Amino acid sequence: ARVARASSAMRSSAPARCVSRFRVTCATGSEKRPIRGAKRGDSAYRDNFAERIKELRASGAPTPGAALVNPPAVLSDVVVVFVSPKTASNVGAMARSCAAFECETLRLVAPVCDVFSRASMNAAKGAQYLIKNALIVDDLADALVGTRAAVAFHPWMEDELRVDADADADADADAHPTFYDDLDALVERFPGGDAASGEKLALVFGNEADGLSVEQLKMCDAVCSIPMGRLVESLSVTHAGVITLSRYFERRGARIDRR
């Protein structure tokens, strides 16, 4: 009974949330704030952006990014590889992150979720076409076909991989990836793909629970651990994707007029 009374008190003190078919209103005390998506006419900037997207999609190019000029798609030489995603919404969020930084090549390795589900498509928010066009393969090696270099993003296994490399001291050093904990140094060493050959740079992200295996890390040329603080163990995979794509986008010196 004591627990029931406590739960009731918590519910009564929580902000009211009124749901209708058309809008959600959050109320704290006397304050009411509508929460809804933008409508045509609310923002001239957003209206103009929506019109430009429609023009890109109607251009006849294979993808909206392929229709971009002056400059062309900034990360057209980059492919994002998502290994064994477990959560459909993370697939959609990764696709949206790719599109946000003009990277239009997404490859999925042995997904363990329905990548075409409503949760995935809703999270993609305008980048659903990247999921529909994604190459889905069973093995990381297949996902790396046509790439000139592969960089893995993984926070946990550096020590384990180093021990493995030391145990195999007679092996060629090039068989083991180089470690980075500095994104600027990583981007300097692996700046992108090769325009002449069409080979891309692969940015490889592991699944939400286990990341990448030692064998998968060995398939890559570099392993990067994104610098972070001491309060949580790791970033979510989609946040890692956003940070990495943003850094590559910024380092290209791209100045995009979005107006």
Side-chain angles (χ1 to χ4, degrees):
R2 189 176 304 165
V3 173
R5 285 196 297 273
S7 298
S8 177
M10 290 175 64
R11 286 196 297 270
S12 65
S13 64
R17 184 175 184 270
C18 305
V19 182
S20 74
R21 180 180 177 186
F22 300 102
R23 61 199 287 170
V24 175
T25 300
C26 289
T28 304
S30 60
E31 179 186 357
K32 293 185 178 181
R33 179 170 58 89
I35 300 176
R36 58 171 175 78
K39 293 182 179 179
R40 172 80 57 180
D42 284 352
S43 165
Y45 172 88
R46 295 185 73 173
D47 290 348
N48 291 336
F49 189 85
E51 288 300 321
R52 285 208 316 277
I53 293 297
K54 287 182 180 178
E55 291 172 4
L56 290 174
R57 290 176 176 169
S59 66
T63 65
L68 292 173
V69 294
N70 298 323
V74 176
L75 297 185
S76 60
D77 61 330
V78 172
V79 52
V80 167
V81 180
F82 195 175
V83 179
S84 299
K86 297 180 63 177
T87 306
S89 59
N90 280 342
V91 175
M94 189 69 85
R96 184 176 182 180
S97 299
C98 289
F101 298 105
E102 300 183 5
C103 169
E104 289 195 301
T105 308
L106 176 64
R107 298 177 183 176
L108 305 172
V109 178
V112 290
C113 62
D114 182 358
V115 302
F116 303 110
S117 68
R118 178 178 296 182
S120 176
M121 293 301 174
N122 285 348
K125 187 65 175 179
Q128 291 91 339
Y129 71 95
L130 288 185
I131 300 173
K132 295 174 182 177
N133 294 341
L135 174 67
I136 302 177
V137 296
D138 293 328
D139 186 83
L140 177 57
D142 294 329
L144 297 181
V145 171
T147 61
R148 70 176 306 190
V151 178
F153 293 85
H154 186 82
W156 300 308
M157 263 192 220
E158 178 173 344
D159 289 340
E160 183 175 344
L161 192 59
R162 286 189 186 280
V163 169
D164 186 86
D166 291 341
D168 192 19
D170 294 333
D172 185 351
D174 291 337
H176 300 283
T178 305
F179 290 94
Y180 291 85
D181 58 8
D182 181 332
L183 275 172
D184 288 329
L186 174 76
V187 176
E188 187 72 26
R189 174 63 182 83
F190 297 93
D194 181 35
S197 67
E199 292 180 324
K200 295 180 181 287
L201 170 68
L203 306 178
V204 183
F205 300 89
N207 74 36
E208 301 88 333
D210 303 314
L212 297 161
S213 69
V214 171
E215 291 306 316
Q216 289 168 338
L217 292 171
K218 286 182 179 180
M219 296 182 190
C220 300
D221 301 282
V223 176
C224 180
S225 178
I226 297 173
M228 56 182 293
R230 296 167 290 175
L231 300 182
V232 294
E233 183 184 31
S234 63
L235 290 163
S236 72
V237 64
T238 53
H239 290 162
V242 168
I243 291 169
T244 303
L245 289 164
S246 175
R247 188 63 57 90
Y248 270 91
F249 187 88
E250 289 174 341
R251 285 295 296 266
R252 301 287 173 96
R255 295 293 181 267
I256 307 298
D257 183 3
R258 289 166 47 90
R259 292 175 295 175

